[in-house]
Amino acid sequence: MGTSRMFRFFVILGSAFMILLIIIYWDDVSAPHQYLHTPVSPGPKVAHPPPNPRPHTSRTPSFLSDIDAFVNQFLEPGTGEPTDTAPADTSNQSEKAEERYIPRREWKIHLSPVAAELRERQEQRRRLLQEVCANESVAFPGKNRSFDEIPNKELDHLIVDDRHGIIYCYVPKVACSNWKRIMIVLSESLLTDGVPQRDPLAIPRELVHNSSMHFTFNKFWKRYAKLARHLMKVKLKKYTKFLFVRDPFVRLISAYRNKFEMPNEDFYRRFGQVMLRRYGNQPTPPASVDQAFSLGIHPSFSHFIQYLLDPQTETAMPFNEHWRQVYRLCHPCQIQYDFVGHLETAEEDAEHLLRLLRVDDVVEFPTSSRNLTSSSWESDWFSMVPVETRRELYKLYEPDFRLFGYDRPDSLLNE
């Protein structure tokens, strides 16, 4: 009897020991790959054939290669540049790849291809960017640095939508509020009663510009640590990248009208008071914007231009994003944009872009009824600005004129 009990005891002990060995072995095998199964982005899952077995010549895996392989499962659209293939020119292979990449429910069936004029317009704009960036006679700060040399804080205007493989560089005063609304809808970052918001115009303005609503490149470091830069470059290669621009001088007029012709406490305290003290003969300007406007005091457009050209300005802090040059916001010589929209052709460009992104069945670009600043107003706004000052201002913003195909405003500069 004692022998039987002893035998059963050893059988149970041996079984427990074997189970323990199996658990330890399983943990050992799966642990090195566990981090690879943590989703980097909620992108669409694509079925892939099993990878070819690799010879186990070393216990040390290639870390970045493994990350590349993992990320490519989610980002690989079947073609290097998603927007290079317009519907009229897409091969069957590319169409199948894009069908895997974008959920079919978000497609709209079009009976006609994108107009040749629109495709040619984009080709010209992309080609111009490449030519100006390669032209050694056109020089501006940061032009020749690599992407890795761009400080993380300067990547805060690149908004990422992992669901659709989109990167948008927003430029203030170039319809960026409405494009941010579209990015919120596409990324489903705003829920109403648990349901993603689908109407861009229903998104409150305070949320549109709330940084927590957008996943930007400068936030990668907190989420991905040392992998941040590598993942940025992977997404820049695989995702569709776009921006919208406008005539640089008209953008400045729009920024001035919005921030200094209308009461804005924040901009008055941060910038308006400085302008009044330096150039407006107001050594002690009113303490609040309401007091200033009640007394008829606010910086003039000429004061604003003086502020932009004053060396003290950027010694104290970088330009505010509303008047910072586009080449400093979006780095077009380091990032190869797939689509360059112009505010002057906003409706056509927006329709074209949403169609290329295959999301025109999900969202439409909101039309604006606001009082837009017109280029025909330039001569009136600059009438009180000396010609020499205008020329200095042009030099400051000349890279944007050249990069994005805006004509030199000779009528303002040659008087």
Side-chain angles (χ1 to χ4, degrees):
M1 196 72 175
T3 304
S4 176
R5 289 181 180 176
M6 185 66 71
F7 176 77
R8 279 184 289 177
F9 172 79
F10 279 110
V11 168
I12 295 171
L13 182 63
S15 300
F17 183 73
M18 289 300 295
I19 292 171
L20 181 61
L21 281 178
I22 291 171
I23 293 173
I24 293 173
Y25 173 79
W26 183 260
D27 285 345
D28 182 62
V29 169
S30 62
H33 305 284
Q34 193 171 25
Y35 76 96
L36 288 177
H37 298 282
T38 303
V40 172
S41 65
K45 292 180 173 56
V46 181
H48 287 273
N52 294 327
R54 293 179 297 176
H56 294 280
T57 56
S58 171
R59 292 289 294 173
T60 305
S62 174
F63 187 62
L64 292 182
S65 297
D66 286 346
I67 288 297
D68 268 340
F70 166 70
V71 173
N72 284 343
Q73 294 180 32
F74 297 93
L75 308 185
E76 184 62 60
T79 163
E81 299 295 341
T83 56
D84 282 351
T85 53
D89 302 322
T90 303
S91 66
N92 290 335
Q93 183 178 359
S94 298
E95 279 289 342
K96 290 179 181 178
E98 293 238 356
E99 186 172 334
R100 292 195 305 269
Y101 187 54
I102 303 296
R104 184 74 186 192
R105 64 183 174 81
E106 299 184 346
W107 289 23
K108 178 184 287 186
I109 297 175
H110 296 276
L111 300 180
S112 59
V114 174
E117 175 189 352
L118 297 181
R119 296 201 303 271
E120 177 60 25
R121 174 190 292 171
Q122 283 305 310
E123 178 59 34
Q124 289 177 356
R125 290 174 182 174
R126 291 195 302 267
R127 185 166 58 245
L128 178 62
L129 277 179
Q130 294 172 0
E131 291 173 353
V132 174
C133 288
N135 188 342
E136 295 182 0
S137 66
V138 181
F140 49 86
K143 176 187 175 184
N144 296 318
R145 64 183 172 178
S146 69
F147 178 77
D148 285 331
E149 293 173 320
I150 301 174
N152 196 56
K153 63 183 178 181
E154 293 183 19
L155 299 172
D156 58 339
H157 280 62
L158 293 158
I159 299 176
V160 181
D161 169 24
D162 285 318
R163 285 177 49 80
H164 300 88
I166 301 170
I167 296 174
Y168 164 50
C169 184
Y170 72 90
V171 179
K173 308 313 301 172
V174 191
C176 78
S177 295
N178 282 338
W179 280 113
K180 283 183 176 182
R181 287 185 168 97
I182 286 180
M183 294 298 285
I184 290 173
V185 169
L186 293 178
S187 64
E188 299 187 356
S189 57
L190 178 62
L191 303 180
T192 304
D193 297 328
V195 178
Q197 176 59 255
R198 288 298 185 186
D199 180 7
L201 291 178
I203 302 173
R205 186 171 182 82
E206 59 270 18
L207 289 181
V208 170
H209 299 291
N210 188 323
S211 62
S212 66
M213 300 301 300
H214 306 284
F215 184 41
T216 50
F217 264 16
N218 65 314
K219 296 179 181 177
F220 273 43
W221 182 256
K222 289 184 179 179
R223 181 177 293 189
Y224 304 124
K226 293 183 179 180
L227 285 177
R229 236 359 121 126
H230 182 71
L231 285 174
M232 287 180 200
K233 288 189 279 190
V234 170
K235 295 187 186 223
L236 285 172
K237 179 181 178 182
K238 301 296 182 181
Y239 286 10
T240 303
K241 306 162 291 295
F242 78 93
L243 78 165
F244 271 73
V245 297
R246 75 190 297 185
D247 180 289
F249 276 8
V250 179
R251 178 173 170 244
L252 290 179
I253 296 171
S254 178
Y256 171 78
R257 291 179 65 207
N258 181 246
K259 302 304 179 185
F260 301 110
E261 271 207 334
M262 295 185 290
N264 185 309
E265 188 67 36
D266 179 47
F267 275 75
Y268 175 75
R269 289 181 179 274
R270 292 168 61 196
F271 309 108
Q273 289 180 331
V274 175
M275 297 178 199
L276 291 172
R277 280 193 291 266
R278 289 185 189 172
Y279 326 112
N281 196 28
Q282 295 280 341
T284 55
S288 72
V289 70
D290 289 337
Q291 293 176 10
F293 272 65
S294 67
L295 296 172
I297 298 173
H298 64 82
S300 68
F301 184 66
S302 182
H303 295 156
F304 177 55
I305 301 304
Q306 286 179 270
Y307 173 79
L308 296 177
L309 295 173
D310 192 335
Q312 297 181 73
T313 299
E314 290 227 78
T315 301
M317 69 178 74
F319 273 2
N320 179 268
E321 62 178 0
H322 290 84
W323 46 84
R324 193 180 308 165
Q325 298 93 326
V326 177
Y327 75 84
R328 295 171 63 184
L329 294 173
C330 296
H331 319 289
C333 289
Q334 289 75 31
I335 298 173
Q336 294 184 5
Y337 285 92
D338 303 291
F339 192 98
V340 181
H342 283 201
L343 191 65
E344 294 80 2
T345 53
E347 290 189 10
E348 285 184 341
D349 289 348
E351 183 179 355
H352 183 194
L353 174 62
L354 294 176
R355 180 170 173 176
L356 288 178
L357 295 174
R358 309 264 176 126
V359 295
D360 52 342
D361 203 29
V362 179
V363 67
E364 292 183 0
F365 183 75
T367 56
S368 176
S369 59
R370 297 181 65 187
N371 183 17
L372 298 177
T373 304
S374 170
S375 58
S376 63
W377 302 355
E378 280 185 319
S379 58
D380 293 334
W381 279 94
F382 281 93
S383 61
M384 300 302 292
V385 179
V387 174
E388 189 56 40
T389 302
R390 301 178 201 172
R391 292 171 182 163
E392 291 180 33
L393 186 69
Y394 175 75
K395 289 180 182 177
L396 189 63
Y397 288 87
E398 183 178 8
D400 282 356
F401 278 94
R402 300 283 296 274
L403 284 163
F404 301 107
Y406 288 99
D407 294 333
R408 184 178 186 271
D410 290 330
S411 60
L412 294 178
L413 305 181
N414 295 338
E415 290 184 3

